[in-house]
Amino acid sequence: MRNVSRFFLAFVVLFAMSVAPAVLAGTIPPVPGGVISISGPGLGNVAVPVILTPSPANDNQPSVPPADNNITVPVKRFDNVGYIDIEFAVVPDNGVTEYYVFESVDNNTGIDWSSYVMELGFYDANKNFVPSV
């Protein structure tokens, strides 16, 4: 088994909007090493996320900028209604690392959305998406 865990940020068009800090039991290496894949039925043009982790294992610790950990997705275009998965490698760091997620989303589906949801989770051994708690 590899010493690198994986998790997915599943971005799903659903019925409500929820954006909160992402919390991981490890850190994401800087791009391009941290992004494993970008896929999903909604996929249009997605810029590779920029990942900054100046403050690993910062669980519930106040941070003074620029020490915040950030995941920035400058462009995420949906060409179809559906989800877009962005899969990251997570390196264990003996702690919990909190990230803020910033993104720009473009609806290129031709259908008005009623909402947008961002969901943090992972895939199990059977390839089922499991939301993080």
Side-chain angles (χ1 to χ4, degrees), residues 17-29:
M17 182 171 178
S18 172
V19 177
V23 181
L24 305 175
T27 57
I28 302 172

Side-chain angles (χ1 to χ4, degrees), residues 89-115:
V90 178
V91 179
D93 68 359
N94 298 319
V96 174
T97 300
E98 294 180 351
Y99 288 86
Y100 286 95
V101 177
F102 301 93
E103 63 179 11
S104 174
V105 177
D106 180 21
N107 177 5
N108 192 43
T109 65
I111 300 169
D112 290 338
W113 291 350
S114 61
S115 64

Side-chain angles (χ1 to χ4, degrees), residues 5 7-9 11 18-31 33-35 49-61 63 66-73 88-103 118-120 132:
S5 301
F7 84 87
F8 293 80
L9 284 178
F11 301 97
S18 172
V19 177
V23 181
L24 305 175
T27 57
I28 302 172
V31 168
V35 176
V50 176
I51 302 166
L52 300 174
T53 312
S55 185
N58 65 337
D59 186 34
N60 295 323
Q61 300 297 316
S63 179
D68 287 334
N69 302 318
N70 296 305
I71 302 170
T72 303
V73 184
F88 297 95
V90 178
V91 179
D93 68 359
N94 298 319
V96 174
T97 300
E98 294 180 351
Y99 288 86
Y100 286 95
V101 177
F102 301 93
E103 63 179 11
M118 180 187 301
E119 191 169 14
L120 176 67
S132 294

Side-chain angles (χ1 to χ4, degrees), residues 66-81:
D68 287 334
N69 302 318
N70 296 305
I71 302 170
T72 303
V73 184
V75 176
K76 183 166 46 177
R77 188 184 77 217
F78 287 80
D79 285 349
N80 300 292
V81 174

